[in-house]
Amino acid sequence: MHETSPVHDVAAKHESYRFYRKLFLLYLLNIIDWLCTETLLQSGRFIEMNPIMKPLVGGFWSIIIIKGIVPLALVILCSAVYRRSGSQTGGLVNIILNFGIFVYFAIILWHIFNFVLLFFVF
């Protein structure tokens, strides 16, 4: 019978915690992006630049589903797959999560730049 050492158990719990923290951060950044985008669009001085989201702008329920419910469902699905896989190595999943977090940070920095323009230039 294979027993795990206490050190392995601690490392596995730490890796698991990091995975869930990254998922939460990615979802939080998605929500911040959504709120910033809506605020800038409501100012009337900005337009949606994302060609995928452009047709959905203005539709309350479509935005709620696309920016709120679908990402939450994906986070729950990723959590379930991660838990069932039993794998504590991040590999490709960590690369994808890190890339997504980086992209959302860049988008939010762009929003901050646009808020500066909105409040100090216009």
Side-chain angles (χ1 to χ4, degrees), residues 10-80:
V10 170
K13 286 180 183 178
H14 178 70
E15 185 63 33
S16 179
Y17 173 74
R18 288 182 66 214
F19 174 79
Y20 292 116
R21 189 176 64 200
K22 285 180 183 181
L23 270 180
F24 175 76
L25 178 60
L26 192 60
Y27 185 72
L28 180 65
L29 291 172
N30 173 62
I31 296 299
I32 292 169
D33 168 45
W34 174 24
L35 295 173
C36 289
T37 300
E38 287 297 318
T39 303
L40 289 167
L41 291 175
Q42 292 298 318
S43 75
R45 298 182 184 266
F46 295 90
I47 60 170
E48 176 63 60
M49 296 299 294
N50 182 343
I52 297 170
M53 292 301 294
K54 197 174 249 185
L56 302 173
V57 170
F60 177 77
W61 288 110
S62 61
I63 292 293
I64 293 286
I65 291 168
I66 297 295
K67 293 299 273 183
I69 295 172
V70 169
L72 182 59
L74 289 172
V75 164
I76 292 168
L77 178 66
C78 286
S79 296

